Amino acid sequence: MTSTSPETTLAKATMHDVMAPLLAAMYGEFKELSKKKPDSAVSKSKLLIVNRLLEKIRGVLSAEQSIDFLDLLSEDDVPQASDVTLIISQYVAAMEAFKNKYYGWDGSKHRWFAK
């Protein structure tokens, strides 16, 4: 990274570091469920938990171009585990892209490029 590298806010970088492990754990759980029973329905309480996390992540990604492609799950529908896995995988990819864009080597250490 250079002095002209893109910067994010310290708040978003911190929120990324908090949310990324939670997102990875949730993705792993749904990925396993999706392998076993891809067409199983996801309960409304699980949808609330998933959407609560995804809404926080949308705050981190609010200025990124990927935000236009990141949907929340409808709490009125009953999505299948494979649908939830697909949605979460898109958030995982967007969070990785966020880190790749704003985190890197400054010549002496790895750090977030934040203002």
Side-chain angles (χ1 to χ4, degrees):
M1 295 246 171
T2 66
S3 61
T4 58
S5 297
E7 291 183 328
T8 188
T9 65
L10 186 56
K12 286 185 177 183
T14 301
M15 188 62 80
H16 176 281
D17 289 344
V18 171
M19 296 291 123
L22 299 175
L23 182 65
M26 183 177 285
Y27 179 56
E29 291 293 324
F30 274 99
K31 193 173 173 182
E32 286 302 313
L33 178 61
S34 186
K35 283 180 186 174
K36 294 176 186 170
K37 297 180 180 179
D39 56 348
S40 65
V42 177
S43 69
K44 187 167 183 152
S45 62
K46 286 181 183 169
L47 284 178
L48 291 173
I49 293 168
V50 171
N51 276 340
R52 184 174 57 212
L53 180 63
L54 297 184
E55 285 176 9
K56 291 281 189 186
I57 292 170
R58 290 178 63 83
V60 173
L61 301 172
S62 62
E64 304 303 310
Q65 291 182 340
S66 60
I67 195 71
D68 294 337
F69 304 97
L70 300 174
D71 297 320
L72 293 174
L73 294 158
S74 172
E75 295 172 10
D76 296 329
D77 296 336
V78 181
Q80 297 177 342
S82 60
D83 299 331
V84 176
T85 304
L86 175 65
I87 296 286
I88 294 173
S89 72
Q90 292 173 323
Y91 280 84
V92 169
M95 288 287 274
E96 288 173 358
F98 180 86
K99 187 168 185 177
N100 289 337
K101 184 176 179 181
Y102 299 113
Y103 186 87
W105 181 254
D106 71 357
S108 62
K109 63 181 178 179
H110 283 95
R111 68 174 183 91
W112 284 102
F113 291 91
K115 33 185 165 173

